[in-house]
Each structure stands twice: as structure tokens, then as C-alpha cells.
Amino acid sequence: MIAKTQKTVTALKAGEDRAILLGLAMIALSMMMYFLLGITMIRSYKDSVWKGESRCSLFNLSIIGDRNCTYSCGTDCLKVSKYPCLRVYVNLSSSGKIMRLSHMEMPDVNTECFYVPKCKKNSTVAQGIIDNISDYFKNHPNFSCFYDPSEKQENVILTRLYGPHVIFHSLFWPSCVLTGGTLIVAMVKLTQYLSMLCERISKIKR
């Protein structure tokens, strides 16, 4: 009977140890996820200058010519193709200014084209993408856009690289993992404490 009790206690102790290790692993994983998000998405969101949101209305759009691009045709092989450059101007309702519209914030890319499609061997694919974008703006001339409140940027953007919703959803899962790991460790510690408390009470009664 004593040996059976000792085996049960040993099994419970091993299970508790595994549960604590699982909880600590989950906490460590969430910390790593927070760190990676902090040096990538959150930093980009914080450093973004396009923090003002307003309404834009289409003022003018036109294709100002073709632009050359290069695509890979194999190992150490690059070939030249082209895509049409669509320039879009909008009326920014918050200031009344006419500004050039860009698809997304790209601090290291300075282009007068609204959108730069992926370079393809067949340039008609890029032409079709640009035609679809033009048709969309013609059918939806009013839309939300983002601008630089300090007015240092000469353009506005249609989409932020990392918006508040993206940041929220990115932080949601690490928070769930952190909460789950903390609860596992806390429940095991609470169970151990209650077990010790019951043992002490039973000894006092004896």
C-alpha cells in the first residue's frame, strides 16, 4: 500500500514538473514573439510618418509611360521587361490640397508610380493589373487615405504597411500564449500549496 502511494506521488510530481516546464516554455516563447514584433512591426508602425487618416477623392489619374524592370530567368540570369506607370492625384479633404497618391508606405523607395507590379516576362500581365487599378479608382473615386500631419511628405498613401488592426492581431496571439503559460504555472503552484496545506492540517489532527 505504501509503495503504491509512493508511486502515485512520484507520478503526480512528474506531471507537475512537466506542466511547469510547459508553462515556462510558453512564457519564453511569448517573450521571443514580443521581441521579434517589437523590432519589426511595432518599430515600423511607430516610425511611420503617415499617421493622419483622412478622406481622399480622385482628382486625376493617367499613365505617364512605361518603366523598365528586371526579372529572373534562371541562375545568374536577368532580363528586362516593362510595366506602365500609373500616376494618381487626389484631393485630400483634411487640407484641400492636391497630392500624389502612393499604394503603400515604402520609405526606401521613391517612385512617381502609384503601384509597381512584380516584373513579369509578359508585360501584358502588368498592363492588366494597372488597368484593373484604374477601373477601380474610376468606380470608387472616394476612399480613405493616410497623410503626414507634419506635411513633410509630398504624397499620401492608400495603405499603411502596419496599421493598428494588424498590430492588435499580431500582439493578440503572443498575449494568449503568455496568459496560458502563466495560468498553467500558477495553477500548478496553487495545487502544490493546497496539497501541502492539507498535509499539514492532517498532521495537526493526528
Side-chain angles (χ1 to χ4, degrees):
M1 183 69 178
I2 295 175
K4 184 177 181 180
T5 303
Q6 289 178 344
K7 288 182 179 179
T8 303
V9 172
T10 302
L12 290 173
K13 184 68 168 59
E16 290 174 349
D17 291 342
R18 285 194 291 268
I20 290 177
L21 288 175
L22 174 62
L24 293 176
M26 292 173 66
I27 293 173
L29 176 63
S30 65
M31 292 296 104
M32 292 177 60
M33 294 170 70
Y34 278 130
F35 175 75
L36 292 175
L37 290 172
I39 62 175
T40 55
M41 298 176 64
I42 297 177
R43 177 179 292 181
S44 299
Y45 174 76
K46 184 179 178 182
D47 294 342
S48 174
V49 297
W50 287 279
K51 295 181 178 179
E53 184 173 2
S54 182
R55 297 292 296 177
C56 283
S57 57
L58 181 65
F59 179 76
N60 176 264
L61 63 82
S62 59
I63 294 178
I64 59 174
D66 292 334
R67 297 292 181 267
N68 291 330
C69 62
T70 57
Y71 66 92
S72 176
C73 53
T75 306
D76 298 328
C77 174
L78 292 175
K79 287 189 176 181
V80 178
S81 185
K82 61 182 180 178
Y83 65 90
C85 179
L86 177 67
R87 181 185 289 173
V88 182
Y89 283 98
V90 295
N91 188 336
L92 183 64
S93 62
S94 61
S95 64
K97 292 182 178 179
I98 305 299
M99 304 189 73
R100 181 170 55 83
L101 179 69
S102 298
H103 174 241
M104 186 176 289
E105 55 181 316
M106 293 293 180
D108 300 327
V109 179
N110 183 18
T111 175
E112 56 186 347
C113 307
F114 166 76
Y115 179 73
V116 179
K118 186 176 180 180
C119 195
K120 298 285 186 179
K121 178 180 180 180
N122 188 355
S123 60
T124 57
V125 175
Q127 181 68 54
I129 294 174
I130 298 302
D131 289 342
N132 290 335
I133 294 174
S134 299
D135 293 338
Y136 177 83
F137 280 125
K138 291 174 182 177
N139 295 325
H140 304 85
N142 298 297
F143 46 86
S144 296
C145 59
F146 299 91
Y147 66 96
D148 177 13
S150 65
E151 298 185 350
K152 293 181 180 179
Q153 300 296 322
E154 298 179 353
N155 63 319
V156 295
I157 61 173
L158 182 65
T159 307
R160 293 188 66 178
L161 190 59
Y162 300 116
H165 295 291
V166 176
I167 298 297
F168 171 78
H169 288 294
S170 299
L171 294 176
F172 176 76
W173 294 112
S175 300
C176 289
V177 174
L178 176 62
T179 302
T182 304
L183 285 175
I184 290 174
V185 174
M187 291 298 291
V188 172
K189 290 298 182 182
L190 179 61
T191 302
Q192 290 176 342
Y193 172 75
L194 293 176
S195 177
M196 291 175 58
L197 188 62
C198 291
E199 187 177 351
R200 289 178 183 175
I201 292 174
S202 62
K203 287 181 178 179
I204 292 174
K205 288 182 178 181
R206 292 176 185 175

